[in-house]
Amino acid sequence: MINYDLKKIKALVFDVDGVLSKGMLRVAIITGAYEERIRHRYEALGVSDVFLSSSVKTECMQTLLDKYGLKPDEVLYMGDDIPDYRVMQQIGLPCCPRDAAPEIRDISLYISHLDGGQGCVRDVTEQVLKAQGKWMADE
């Protein structure tokens, strides 16, 4: 269970390589690679912002904060490796999968009981939606 006021979370941000996937793809909402077809795939799924070929993730995060008028404590970021370290220090709710690098686990407020690419994103997303009364709200 995430020990954080999840009702104030307004944005979920994920690294993809090692979080959404098992580390086999270098495609991301914020990632170090570049493939335009990935942007289209995520946008089709309702992802509002996709950052490709990003070597400085803190700049991408600042862009998101500015664009949507978000405060850092309104953001959950899930990362798994050293390139995520600085951006995770920048936001309110740093999370990681169980198999994240030790340095990332050390700064995470929540470590999922699941590995990257094995349900960790659903774990945190479901907790946020339930806390906000949005889980299965249409049922």
Side-chain angles (χ1 to χ4, degrees), residues 110-127:
Y110 177 72
I111 301 170
S112 177
H113 64 283
L114 299 163
D115 289 344
Q118 300 295 305
C120 64
V121 170
R122 175 171 177 150
D123 174 29
V124 297
T125 302
E126 187 174 321
Q127 288 189 59

Side-chain angles (χ1 to χ4, degrees), residues 1-2 14-16 18-23 78-80 95-101 104-105 108 110-127 130 135:
M1 186 69 121
I2 298 174
F14 301 102
D15 173 53
V16 173
V19 175
L20 286 170
S21 73
K22 291 174 104 179
M78 182 174 261
D80 72 308
C95 301
C96 70
R98 177 178 58 191
D99 60 346
I104 299 302
R105 289 194 313 266
S108 293
Y110 177 72
I111 301 170
S112 177
H113 64 283
L114 299 163
D115 289 344
Q118 300 295 305
C120 64
V121 170
R122 175 171 177 150
D123 174 29
V124 297
T125 302
E126 187 174 321
Q127 288 189 59
K130 284 180 177 178
W135 181 253

Side-chain angles (χ1 to χ4, degrees), residues 15-69:
D15 173 53
V16 173
D17 183 24
V19 175
L20 286 170
S21 73
K22 291 174 104 179
M24 294 180 236
L25 298 176
R26 195 91 175 126
V27 298
I29 295 164
I30 300 177
T31 186
Y34 181 83
E35 284 192 48
E36 192 60 30
R37 66 182 171 85
I38 291 160
R39 175 187 313 278
H40 299 299
R41 180 182 310 143
Y42 282 101
E43 288 173 351
L45 293 173
V47 173
S48 60
D49 295 275
V50 179
F51 294 90
L52 301 171
S53 193
S54 174
S55 59
V56 184
K57 293 182 179 189
T58 55
E59 291 175 5
C60 296
M61 181 58 66
Q62 192 59 53
T63 297
L64 284 172
L65 294 174
D66 294 344
K67 180 178 180 179
Y68 296 106

